[in-house]
Amino acid sequence: MRLDETSDQWWKNAIVYCLDVETFIDSDSDGVGDFRGLIRQVDYIAGLGVNCIWLMPFQPSPDCDDGYDITDYYSVDPRLGTLGDFVEFVRTANDRGIRVVIDLVLNHTSIEHPWFQDARSSRDDPKRGWYVWRDEPSDEPKGLFFPNRETSNWAFDEEAGQWYLHRFYSFQADLDTANPEVRDEIARILGYWLQLGVSGFRLDAVPALLETSGLPERVSEDPREWLRCLRTFVNRRRGDAALLGEVNVNLADLAGYFGEHGDLLHMQFAFLMNQQLWLALAREEAEPLEAVIRELPKVPPDNAWATFLRNHDELTLDKLTAAQRDEIFAAFGPKKNMQL
């Protein structure tokens, strides 16, 4: 790979620091971290060798799921500051050679979001079609993301008189991402934050975002076509912007999220590599990591893996066998209260 090619694609060599503004540093002693505190610490972060900051959700939220239940995609949680504070943070970070990537949670909104409040009010409301409703719960989509917390992917809303789809928690209603109006709104959200200076987005729960099971029958095209359109839109608005996808799926399915021609996600978190890395550390031998690297699909020239040891999530070991997980627990968390 030539140097000029990787310098055009800054994200291939980026050293990314993930942080939650709410828990990072508090500037006014109210017990909540904020953007003004973060601005004061940009030089500290730069001193770590970081050249990209990934911000976890900082938009207004009831905070039932660490901010991943959003009520306004176009604003900042007032506890954390203002839009002006956000812009000043981006400017300061850029001045130190640090780009800013933000979390974008598009699969669902909080049920307190004004869109959902409008949607539940009447079957004739224009926002009704922004979510997925049924008179009776469906057996699609299959499987539960949180089987210890939820018993169904559908929840009944008394005010709406129907069931709504939620792939995550019942307080997070799924948007109907096959609805052209929803897709246009999502593009406006991306365009808005790009205009405020961000260099890209960490797309939350990409497989769920593209899932069509349970959606209305109007779904006709491959949902990856929409992802392709999103990438085109983002790079039209800012040529060097990147889409980093949270894609924790089986080995055979990974390549599909890059696209045959590398024109879908720019990057994917290397979940399989991460899980085998922890197994390699537990065994004190490199073979598990070497094996998965050999098996991973070939990455197109305009794509890359995002490799990590830990990020904001709990350690994900779901693609390992039970015996392999036990090896990691024995090495790093032998007590039950160490195993989240």
Side-chain angles (χ1 to χ4, degrees), residues 5-263:
E5 292 175 348
T6 56
S7 62
D8 287 342
Q9 297 172 322
W10 61 270
W11 34 270
K12 286 191 173 182
N13 292 319
I15 300 172
V16 183
Y17 189 99
C18 171
L19 65 86
D20 183 354
V21 177
E22 180 180 349
T23 61
F24 190 67
I25 191 165
D26 176 10
S27 71
D28 54 10
S29 301
D30 67 350
V32 178
D34 47 53
F35 276 106
R36 293 188 179 185
L38 176 55
I39 290 168
R40 296 177 188 174
Q41 294 299 309
V42 167
D43 285 339
Y44 160 74
I45 296 172
L48 299 175
V50 171
N51 53 23
C52 179
I53 292 175
W54 156 25
L55 296 180
M56 291 171 61
F58 53 83
Q59 292 90 356
S61 165
D63 213 22
C64 299
D65 185 26
D66 292 327
Y68 284 84
D69 47 330
I70 291 171
T71 57
D72 183 357
Y73 286 104
Y74 294 99
S75 189
V76 171
D77 186 325
R79 299 174 306 144
L80 311 183
T82 66
L83 273 175
D85 294 328
F86 172 82
V87 171
E88 184 63 15
F89 159 67
V90 173
R91 187 205 65 79
T92 305
N94 289 170
D95 182 63
R96 272 51 168 196
I98 298 174
R99 296 172 182 266
V100 177
V101 168
I102 68 171
D103 237 306
L104 202 60
V105 188
L106 300 175
N107 176 70
H108 52 258
T109 72
S110 166
I111 59 174
E112 296 183 28
H113 196 295
W115 297 346
F116 188 81
Q117 294 299 310
D118 289 346
R120 79 194 325 179
S121 67
S122 167
R123 296 194 184 206
D124 297 325
D125 190 273
K127 292 292 190 295
R128 187 72 164 203
W130 285 38
Y131 296 87
V132 184
W133 302 90
R134 289 187 180 275
D135 290 327
E136 297 293 337
S138 171
D139 59 357
E140 294 286 348
K142 302 291 186 184
L144 297 173
F145 285 172
F146 303 119
N148 59 329
R149 294 283 299 275
E150 299 286 346
T151 59
S152 171
N153 289 313
W154 298 86
F156 187 73
D157 184 71
E158 294 285 351
E159 184 175 344
Q162 283 188 304
W163 299 77
Y164 63 88
L165 177 65
H166 63 90
R167 274 309 251 143
F168 290 81
Y169 297 111
S170 56
F171 54 78
Q172 295 166 317
D174 278 23
L175 286 164
D176 183 354
T177 53
N179 185 327
E181 292 182 5
V182 173
R183 292 184 174 189
D184 287 346
E185 185 67 22
I186 286 173
R188 279 189 287 270
I189 293 166
L190 270 68
Y192 175 82
W193 292 106
L194 287 170
Q195 197 68 28
L196 292 181
V198 306
S199 293
F201 304 92
R202 180 261 189 190
L203 295 184
D204 183 63
V206 176
L209 183 66
L210 300 183
E211 190 172 46
T212 58
S213 298
L215 296 186
E217 274 58 30
R218 66 170 173 272
V219 177
S220 56
E221 67 175 13
D222 185 336
R224 286 175 175 78
E225 287 300 316
W226 173 52
L227 186 56
R228 182 173 290 109
C229 290
L230 274 184
R231 171 165 172 164
T232 300
F233 172 83
V234 164
N235 288 142
R236 193 168 66 241
R237 290 293 178 92
R238 176 166 177 162
D240 63 349
L243 296 178
L244 169 57
E246 182 195 22
V247 182
N248 185 19
V249 296
N250 293 322
L251 183 66
D253 299 322
L254 287 171
Y257 291 90
F258 284 135
E260 184 179 354
H261 304 291
D263 54 355

